[in-house]
Amino acid sequence: MDQNNNAALYVGDLAPEVTEAALFNTFCVVGPVASIRVCRHHHTRRSLGYAYVNFHQIEDAERALDTLNYTKICGRACRIMWSQRDPYAKQLRKNGEGNVFVSNLDPSIDNRTLLDTFSMFGDILSCKVETDKEGKSRGFGFVHYADKESADKAINKVNGMEISGKKLYCTKWQSRNARDGQLETTFTNVYVKNFPVAWSEDDLKKLFEDYGQINGCAISRDEKGKSRQFGFVTFNLTDEAQKAVEELNDCEVDIDGTKEKLFVGRAQSKRERQKLLNKLYYAKKRKEKAEEQKNNDASLFIKNLDDTIDSDALSLLFKEFGTIESAKVMTKADGTSKGFGFVTYEKPEEAKTALEKMNDKEVEGKKIFVDVATPPTWQNRKKTTKWNSYPTGSSPRRGRYNTSVGGHYAHTGYGGMQYAWQFAGSAGRSSETA
């Protein structure tokens, strides 16, 4: 294999102002640099926070990885790793296999210290301590190994180890969806609202103390100390919290002579609440859209499909709800899945049942989205592109219509010279005009 294919480095965690020139000044000290590219947004041209640096020789790339990793560029430490173009390596990075989550880190532990601590257990692809906008440690980090065995070894050895006076907690990395799913069954923090304004923490604690040991209780108050009529109760065990939610939710309490129902549920983060509200909003929209559809609508649109699901697998997934006329997963030019597809049933009732049962269902570790397939219309096909985003009255074609040169398209070339092309039927290219 050509060495040039292995001499490419990924440089991440870059500051927005980092340019190719700044990277060249940093990396040229270890050897001749073949090329540098800072990845930018297609429209705004703002930096995406990462770049690729290519060397002529693999030895120079290895030296840069060893000596320049976590070097500060424009005030922010960069993170260097090998550029992984191999499909297996990309899949390893996506599914989180070999990725270790490390928490309860002391503020003095930086990227280099974390790397030195975990490097003895195997080959590390990437290692970082998460920081805030000011560059201060947030107390947790990630170590991504090249294989699952090294990650398991690191978790067994380092979990519970004391470093810089704090005990580290190591576990296998999980996606947000997986963590949210666990919280629904392992929570201990309970959210309570609609209780009387006069209630204190002691009153709230008295209501919940029959269900188990309470570790904490707090009522939210405004700047004047007045209760906002909601608060939180933390139990010692999950079973105690679940029992309190089941028995006290919708329980009636007396507020100023009237009966009001308490709301008692699992305490959720702001992100979880926003996700739930979005889910309810789009569910309402889907219901409204489904009601507007004609009776012969029997096609479904499915997205967020795993790359391993093809048309046959999609058909097997949905066949239990009725007779399928067609099932198709859309693919790219190289045959890989685009992550979405369509299923058409014989009857609209079958499609409706499949929509209700399969939407938000987890398939191959991913929650799929199912909706009624709507045919494209002229309004949603006409998207803004670089060819139709010109102001009204100007031409989408290259060049500008210039009436002063007799109905030609004029284009300004190098050196300020203006070239004009006549319309069809003319003798071709006209003379140059200054």
Side-chain angles (χ1 to χ4, degrees):
M1 182 181 292
D2 189 0
Q3 282 186 337
N4 292 335
N5 292 333
N6 290 330
L9 296 177
Y10 166 89
V11 186
D13 298 343
L14 296 176
E17 60 270 19
V18 173
T19 62
E20 283 83 355
L23 289 174
F24 179 81
N25 292 334
T26 302
F27 284 88
C28 68
V29 297
V30 298
V33 177
S35 64
I36 296 177
R37 181 169 68 93
V38 175
C39 296
R40 302 181 182 278
H41 190 276
H42 179 68
H43 296 294
T44 64
R45 305 307 300 163
R46 293 177 181 173
S47 171
L48 297 176
Y50 65 94
Y52 294 96
V53 179
N54 297 299
F55 287 91
H56 291 287
Q57 299 296 329
I58 185 68
E59 293 80 8
D60 296 332
E62 290 175 344
R63 193 180 306 112
L65 183 61
D66 293 337
T67 60
L68 297 179
N69 204 6
Y70 309 121
T71 299
K72 284 192 175 183
I73 304 176
C74 296
R76 184 183 297 182
C78 69
R79 179 168 52 92
I80 306 174
M81 57 186 292
W82 292 108
S83 175
Q84 298 170 342
R85 295 186 176 92
D86 178 43
Y88 172 76
K90 288 184 177 180
Q91 185 64 27
L92 179 71
R93 190 172 67 251
K94 285 183 179 180
N95 61 25
E97 198 76 19
N99 202 356
V100 178
F101 174 73
V102 188
S103 61
N104 202 35
L105 294 172
D106 187 78
S108 63
I109 296 179
D110 57 8
N111 294 318
R112 177 64 65 178
T113 306
L114 191 67
L115 178 65
D116 294 340
T117 303
F118 284 85
S119 59
M120 66 181 72
F121 304 108
D123 186 19
I124 294 178
L125 300 178
S126 176
C127 177
K128 69 177 292 187
V129 174
E130 197 69 28
T131 57
D132 58 18
K133 293 181 179 180
E134 298 177 354
K136 296 179 180 179
S137 171
R138 296 177 62 186
F140 66 91
F142 305 91
V143 182
H144 200 166
Y145 286 95
D147 55 80
K148 181 177 180 296
E149 292 73 20
S150 299
D152 293 338
K153 190 177 179 181
I155 291 173
N156 294 333
K157 295 289 185 181
V158 182
N159 188 37
M161 181 186 295
E162 189 170 305
I163 298 179
S164 298
K166 299 185 74 173
K167 185 182 290 186
L168 298 189
Y169 296 97
C170 302
T171 184
K172 182 182 176 182
W173 174 86
Q174 291 180 311
S175 65
R176 280 185 174 179
N177 289 336
R179 295 198 303 271
D180 290 347
Q182 287 183 348
L183 283 175
E184 292 178 2
T185 56
T186 61
F187 69 94
T188 56
N189 199 8
V190 175
Y191 170 73
V192 194
K193 73 174 182 178
N194 293 341
F195 51 78
V197 177
W199 274 23
S200 65
E201 279 78 1
D202 292 335
D203 297 319
L204 193 61
K205 189 179 292 185
K206 186 177 180 181
L207 178 66
F208 284 88
E209 63 184 4
D210 293 336
Y211 297 95
Q213 180 182 340
I214 296 176
N215 292 339
C217 180
I219 292 177
S220 179
R221 303 180 184 277
D222 59 19
E223 60 276 0
K224 296 181 179 180
K226 183 180 178 181
S227 171
R228 290 192 173 103
Q229 293 184 275
F230 72 88
F232 302 89
V233 178
T234 304
F235 286 91
N236 188 46
L237 299 175
T238 299
D239 293 339
E240 299 169 347
Q242 290 177 339
K243 186 178 180 181
V245 170
E246 291 172 1
E247 298 189 9
L248 290 180
N249 189 37
D250 288 335
C251 173
E252 291 187 346
V253 294
D254 185 71
I255 300 179
D256 297 331
T258 60
K259 295 288 185 180
E260 294 286 348
K261 287 185 177 181
L262 283 179
F263 173 83
V264 182
R266 178 176 68 88
Q268 296 176 311
S269 64
K270 183 178 180 180
R271 181 180 60 82
E272 285 184 281
R273 294 195 302 273
Q274 188 63 47
K275 184 178 179 181
L276 178 61
L277 290 174
N278 288 341
K279 183 178 178 180
L280 295 174
Y281 172 78
Y282 287 114
K284 181 181 178 181
K285 285 292 184 181
R286 284 196 300 270
K287 186 177 179 181
E288 293 174 354
K289 187 188 294 184
E291 290 174 355
E292 295 173 359
Q293 298 298 320
K294 296 179 181 179
N295 293 331
N296 62 347
D297 284 336
S299 295
L300 298 178
F301 167 69
I302 304 100
K303 72 175 182 178
N304 202 33
L305 293 171
D306 189 76
D307 294 340
T308 59
I309 296 178
D310 57 11
S311 298
D312 293 337
L314 186 65
S315 179
L316 287 173
L317 195 62
F318 282 81
K319 73 174 186 178
E320 62 178 292
F321 304 107
T323 305
I324 293 178
E325 293 185 349
S326 66
K328 175 69 175 177
V329 172
M330 308 308 293
T331 57
K332 304 175 185 176
D334 59 357
T336 58
S337 171
K338 288 185 177 180
F340 69 93
F342 300 88
V343 175
T344 302
Y345 284 93
E346 191 175 74
K347 300 177 181 178
E349 296 79 14
E350 298 169 345
K352 183 178 179 181
T353 303
L355 177 91
E356 295 172 350
K357 298 290 185 180
M358 295 299 291
N359 187 43
D360 278 341
K361 183 177 180 180
E362 188 166 320
V363 179
E364 296 295 336
K366 298 175 72 174
K367 286 188 177 181
I368 63 172
F369 172 88
V370 184
D371 200 356
V372 177
T374 55
T377 61
W378 170 252
Q379 286 79 8
N380 59 33
R381 279 205 310 265
K382 191 177 180 182
K383 296 180 179 178
T384 301
T385 67
K386 63 180 180 179
W387 302 115
N388 64 11
S389 59
Y390 289 80
T392 304
S394 64
S395 171
R397 290 181 54 183
R398 256 187 160 172
R400 177 173 52 84
Y401 182 73
N402 193 343
T403 56
S404 65
V405 290
H408 297 67
Y409 271 98
H411 174 72
T412 303
Y414 293 104
M417 300 297 292
Q418 190 178 70
Y419 305 96
W421 287 266
Q422 295 177 336
F423 291 120
S426 63
R429 190 169 177 174
S430 68
S431 61
E432 290 184 358
T433 56

